[in-house]
Amino acid sequence: MSRIALLATATVGLALLGAVPATAAQASTTDTTVTCSPFALRAGLSTKVCVEVTGDSVELYGQIALAGPPSPGYPIPVKDLTTTLTGNVVGGASLGHLVKPVRFQATTTQVRGVGGTVPCGSTVHAEFTSAEFGSPSGPVTLDVPVTC
């Protein structure tokens, strides 16, 4: 390889290396952070609530999963649940309230549909319940600061 070709290759390589930090810095301004509550047993299932934060935008979701592996030889559980997902800015506006029937069939299921834009520095309160008919269920809750 000639000296000119080697010098040109090295120059292009250095230019590309210089571009990487700028790209990485731009990506960090729109990162999404997901925070979830510890799971709780509700209606015999593992239930938790999560908050996704991207800048000043938040989306809440509840998640339902099996509490453990199914027992061999037993049918996979099918449960008809009523779920409720609620969110608000602590001391401020509501982010929504969603009541949704869900048929759980052993596959991890998410319930979404509550969220919005919140002021930087505020705290979001999320609450999720899942209950079978005739079995009251307490909520799982989570408070997440939105730092932007």
Side-chain angles (χ1 to χ4, degrees), residues 8 11 14 17 21 35 39 43 49-51 53 55 58 62 69 78 80 83 98 100-101 104 107-108 110 130 135 148:
T11 303
L14 288 173
L17 283 176
T35 305
F39 79 89
V49 66
C50 300
V51 177
V53 179
V58 297
V78 175
D80 289 315
T83 63
L98 175 70
K100 182 177 180 180
F104 179 81
T107 303
T108 300
Q110 290 184 353
S130 63
S135 297
C148 300

Side-chain angles (χ1 to χ4, degrees), residues 4 17 26 30 33 35 46 49-51 64 69 72 79 82 89-90 97 99-100 118 127 129 136 141 143:
I4 295 174
L17 283 176
Q26 290 171 349
T30 58
T33 304
T35 305
S46 171
V49 66
C50 300
V51 177
I64 306 163
K79 295 187 180 233
T82 300
V89 177
V90 174
H97 178 82
V99 177
K100 182 177 180 180
V118 300
E127 189 172 292
T129 61
T141 62
D143 290 328

Side-chain angles (χ1 to χ4, degrees), residues 41-68:
L41 293 177
R42 302 288 189 255
L45 301 169
S46 171
T47 304
K48 64 182 176 180
V49 66
C50 300
V51 177
E52 290 181 358
V53 179
T54 306
D56 64 351
S57 178
V58 297
E59 182 179 5
L60 285 56
Y61 65 91
Q63 184 169 300
I64 306 163
L66 288 174

Side-chain angles (χ1 to χ4, degrees), residues 68-97:
S71 299
Y74 287 92
I76 293 180
V78 175
K79 295 187 180 233
D80 289 315
L81 306 169
T82 300
T83 63
T84 305
L85 179 62
T86 304
N88 65 289
V89 177
V90 174
S94 170
L95 295 172
H97 178 82

